[in-house]
Amino acid sequence: MIDYRITFLGTAASTFSLKRNPTSILVTIRERSILLDCGEGVTSRLLRGKIDINTIDAVFISHGHNDHFVGISSFLWYNWLALRRKHSLEIIAPEYIFQDIDTLLSITHTPRDAFEFPLKRTPLVGDSDATIHPLDLGFPPPLKGEIGISFQTINTIHDPPSRAIRINIDVNDLGGEPRGEASICYTSDTAPSDNIISLAKNCDYLIHEATFLDEDMEKAIQFNHSTPSMAGSIARRAGVKHLVLVHYSNMLEGKETTILEQASREFPKEKIVVASDLDIIRGSM
Ligand SMILES: [Zn+2]
Ligand SMILES: [Zn+2]
């Protein structure tokens, strides 16, 4: 049996609310993890969730907005000073993000060569195309040929350029026969996008942003974001099994019932999760 978990560390858009941190999601497969986005406060959320940060092999940063990115500095400092990390960490991000990371480390006076662990940089190129890009990661270490994990990314409709990611987990028996599969797609920030429909096709969990309510649809489009029913429509057209909503603006605080109602205009209510910080979705194959 292969277990996986999706832990929601931050489900707020743009900035903090009383109940929510900016965006970060941890996907764990057999006790190895990849962090999807790195909003401010992510390290303290990981600690509060009693998550062993040593098990995080890679960090995917979708784009350079404040709510997805600035937690990387304190996350790296924690790995350096608290964990004394020695094993490698991979950062996957659009190419321009690496300059931003260097700037962030510079203005926080991070000593050069401070980190004793290899920091591997995997830049995502092709900011404007509609291609599904396969992503070659060494995550997690091979597990006796029993499990295969593949990653794909695609551009979304957002400014600055942002990527969605899909994680596919395939389980074979030791003879190589398929035994089960699971797939998780995370949109990060986007207006409703055909690219997301092609990336998320038939996946088990589509984690889609819902920054504004339906009554603010025009504002959502203007700022390259989505509403609950827009996310529901994408989920229906992609044929996904479950829709998980995240990335709510401050105006949506306490409106979880409305978010669910609006998403269910387009997608079956019983298959929708309105995620909160430190919620965990568990699956197995
Ligand atoms: Zn955002
Ligand atoms: Zn954004």
Side-chain angles (χ1 to χ4, degrees):
M1 184 76 79
I2 306 292
D3 297 319
Y4 64 93
R5 291 190 303 280
I6 309 168
T7 307
F8 297 87
L9 301 163
T11 56
S14 307
T15 185
F16 291 84
S17 73
L18 195 58
K19 292 194 302 187
R20 300 180 193 276
N21 269 24
T23 306
S24 297
I25 299 161
L26 190 75
V27 175
T28 304
I29 305 156
R30 268 223 173 147
E31 305 312 320
R32 305 308 304 177
S33 298
I34 179 169
L35 187 59
L36 307 181
D37 276 331
C38 206
E40 189 179 350
V42 62
T43 306
S44 97
R45 270 289 192 259
L46 286 163
L47 295 172
R48 273 189 55 190
K50 297 186 169 42
I51 290 154
D52 179 359
I53 293 175
N54 266 311
T55 65
I56 299 175
D57 295 306
V59 180
F60 167 80
I61 297 174
S62 61
H63 67 296
H65 269 148
N66 174 63
D67 49 326
H68 298 258
F69 161 63
V70 298
I72 190 68
S73 175
S74 49
F75 179 77
L76 291 172
W77 276 55
Y78 186 87
N79 277 275
W80 165 34
L81 292 172
L83 287 187
R84 299 284 170 192
R85 183 181 182 117
K86 296 284 191 293
H87 60 292
S88 69
L89 180 72
E90 182 159 3
I91 297 180
I92 308 121
E95 210 164 14
Y96 69 90
I97 292 285
F98 293 98
Q99 175 82 49
D100 296 345
I101 291 173
D102 288 340
T103 302
L104 199 55
L105 293 176
S106 169
I107 63 174
T108 50
H109 298 271
T110 308
R112 275 184 183 280
D113 306 322
F115 307 136
E116 293 172 44
F117 51 92
L119 195 56
K120 189 179 171 205
R121 297 169 178 232
T122 301
L124 302 169
V125 295
D127 275 345
S128 57
D129 60 34
T131 313
I132 294 178
H133 294 265
L135 189 57
D136 186 18
L137 297 186
F139 162 84
L143 297 166
K144 297 177 188 164
E146 187 186 5
I147 181 169
I149 301 181
S150 62
F151 301 84
Q152 295 163 307
T153 73
I154 203 164
N155 290 303
T156 74
I157 301 173
H158 200 61
D159 185 19
S162 186
R163 289 289 179 122
I165 187 168
R166 176 172 175 144
I167 303 172
N168 302 298
I169 312 159
D170 297 298
V171 182
N172 299 309
D173 64 22
L174 294 179
E177 290 298 313
R179 208 178 70 201
E181 58 182 14
S183 46
I184 300 157
C185 185
Y186 165 57
T187 63
S188 189
D189 291 3
T190 187
S193 162
D194 288 343
N195 279 6
I196 298 294
I197 295 171
S198 61
L199 185 74
K201 209 79 195 162
N202 301 326
C203 73
D204 290 281
Y205 290 98
L206 170 61
I207 305 169
H208 201 297
E209 71 123 290
T211 307
F212 295 99
L213 289 177
D214 281 2
E215 39 272 47
D216 289 319
M217 268 186 190
E218 277 182 26
K219 205 187 280 183
I221 294 295
Q222 181 188 352
F223 293 106
N224 296 311
H225 285 297
S226 301
T227 70
S229 74
M230 287 170 166
S233 168
I234 296 290
R236 178 174 48 73
R237 290 157 68 200
V240 308
K241 295 193 180 75
H242 303 91
L243 169 64
V244 186
L245 297 169
V246 295
H247 197 271
Y248 319 111
S249 77
N250 264 313
M251 292 176 293
L252 276 63
E253 187 80 341
K255 296 190 174 167
E256 289 81 0
T257 307
T258 308
I259 295 168
L260 179 61
E261 289 298 329
Q262 293 190 349
S264 64
R265 291 170 182 166
E266 295 283 347
F267 194 74
K269 192 185 239 179
E270 66 277 11
K271 296 179 180 175
I272 301 172
V273 176
V274 179
S276 296
D277 287 22
L278 297 178
D279 280 355
I280 300 175
I281 290 174
R282 297 173 195 276
S284 61
M285 291 159 284

